[in-house]
Amino acid sequence: MRSFLLSLIVVASLPLVTACEEEAGPAHLTLNYQVACTGCTGVPVRQISTLNGVEGNSISCSVSETEGQYLLNLSFSNPNTDPSGGYGFDIRNAVVSTAGGPAQSGTITIIEQDNRFGGRDYGAASGSALAPGCGDEPPTACATPCRLYDISFEATPNGPAVLGSLECDGLPLAADRTRTAEVHAPTAPAMPANFLFENCTGLQL
């Protein structure tokens, strides 16, 4: 009788264990980039590895699929704890093949020292290489000042993930298009910034 009761307890516990295993954890982000902008001084390197909600950081990663393509919306914002001002990183409505590769389109917004660069009107991105020197003479003549590419979708220990590379040259300040920004790898202007968003909503791998 005692062994029978123990068996009932074990069986009754199984659905609870399964439910816990299927519950998605918080979004996790690994992001390395640096902004060089006209009129900005003392801009720090951004090397971020954090979970959504930690120290007020906000991370969002959502993916939707239609006709062999993914629509990506990825964002990170810091709650203005940096002495130099608030900062953030945002990729909106990026269209990418489900097989990965370069983005067909997208919009980039970078906030640095409370300055908003790019956005819906000026932050166009594609997978094409940036034109040499396109940001040299503001206001920028670069049709797509940002390049979004090498995107892949992988299952990681932290959940389904979006990986990719980003670089910008001549990304205009929304309030003053004569001021522009470059976005690249930390301390390496010739290299792209890299990002890894994990536990993305809607991504099934």
Side-chain angles (χ1 to χ4, degrees), residues 159-191:
V162 179
L163 302 81
S165 296
L166 171 72
E167 56 184 339
C168 298
D169 180 15
L171 186 64
L173 179 66
D176 179 3
R177 293 193 64 198
T178 65
R179 293 179 57 191
T180 62
E182 295 180 12
V183 182
H184 48 70
T187 70
M191 300 297 292

Side-chain angles (χ1 to χ4, degrees), residues 86-180:
Y87 61 97
F89 182 100
D90 189 82
I91 299 172
R92 289 287 158 195
N93 298 321
V95 177
V96 184
S97 166
T98 54
Q104 297 176 29
S105 60
T107 300
I108 308 300
T109 305
I110 301 292
I111 298 173
E112 189 58 64
Q113 298 180 331
D114 294 326
N115 295 307
R116 182 180 295 272
F117 292 89
R120 184 181 62 185
D121 297 324
Y122 309 122
S126 71
S128 302
L130 299 176
C134 68
D136 287 350
E137 296 181 5
T140 179
C142 201
T144 55
C146 293
R147 183 186 183 203
L148 182 60
Y149 63 108
D150 284 350
I151 298 171
S152 62
F153 307 98
E154 300 181 12
T156 73
N158 292 323
V162 179
L163 302 81
S165 296
L166 171 72
E167 56 184 339
C168 298
D169 180 15
L171 186 64
L173 179 66
D176 179 3
R177 293 193 64 198
T178 65
R179 293 179 57 191
T180 62

